[in-house]
Amino acid sequence: MVNDSPWRAAPPALPASLLDCLTEPASLSLRLQAGGRRFAVTVLSQGEDRVQADEAEALDLAEGEPVHARHVLLTLDGTPVVYARSAVAPSCPSWLPVLARGSRSLGLTLFGELPALRREPLRYGLLANGHPLAAAAARVEPAASYPARRCRFLLDGSPLLLTELFLPALKDLL
């Protein structure tokens, strides 16, 4: 069987500053805030969406089933640097209140406010044409491919899948 998933245990080869961000074991939001630039979260959309092919197993859903998804941009000094998608089952009582946060960073909650939270290891990819999140990121800042990381979090046995794509502008602002 061929593994055609874009997600791997090891990160892709990247410049050191970008690789450090991609492999950050703690909150990416806090990492970006620590650089001294003005950090903000812009919500692009939140609500019903569909499970993507490479999300289905991690969310314990079938491809194409409904999910509740939150799409945001993380910005530094007003420049978009990360495109992120958080996805959960649409009727998840544990995660829906967590995602109802407006422009407050999800990372602040995932790394400190939920003691019962279990985090699985980061997975890494280089997402290019054909991946729906790469297409969404390209509408913000076109690129041939996007270094990305993904992590599954469990709260009360329910999964949340967080995927973050690093936009080209990030390397210039690190």
Side-chain angles (χ1 to χ4, degrees):
M1 181 173 161
V2 175
N3 180 4
D4 61 354
S5 170
W7 302 103
R8 306 280 182 263
L14 297 170
S17 61
L18 201 51
L19 185 62
D20 284 348
C21 250
L22 187 72
T23 58
E24 171 61 52
S27 167
L28 179 61
S29 295
L30 289 176
R31 168 79 180 246
L32 294 174
Q33 289 175 3
R37 295 184 182 274
R38 186 175 32 85
F39 173 83
V41 176
T42 301
V43 179
L44 300 173
S45 67
Q46 182 162 345
E48 187 173 316
D49 204 340
R50 297 286 168 194
V51 173
Q52 297 173 359
D54 65 337
E55 296 176 325
E57 184 178 346
L59 289 170
D60 301 324
L61 297 169
E63 182 180 346
E65 278 192 80
V67 291
H68 181 89
R70 179 175 183 252
H71 295 256
V72 302
L73 290 175
L74 306 183
T75 64
L76 293 176
D77 293 340
T79 300
V81 294
V82 175
Y83 179 95
R85 170 181 163 103
S86 307
V88 299
S91 60
C92 182
S94 298
W95 285 114
L96 290 179
V98 173
L99 291 178
R101 61 193 316 99
S103 62
R104 187 167 174 253
S105 170
L106 181 60
L108 302 176
T109 298
L110 294 178
F111 294 92
E113 296 177 10
L114 299 172
L117 183 71
R118 193 176 108 223
R119 180 184 186 197
E120 294 183 350
L122 283 166
R123 305 286 293 172
Y124 305 96
L126 201 55
L127 304 185
N129 294 346
H131 193 282
L133 292 183
R139 289 191 288 276
V140 177
E141 187 178 1
S145 62
Y146 299 89
R149 68 188 211 162
R150 171 171 279 177
C151 193
R152 188 169 99 136
F153 297 85
L154 295 171
L155 184 61
D156 300 328
S158 298
L160 172 140
L161 192 62
L162 172 60
T163 307
E164 298 161 317
L165 284 73
F166 291 61
L167 302 176
L170 179 60
K171 70 179 179 312
D172 297 330
L173 295 175
L174 289 175

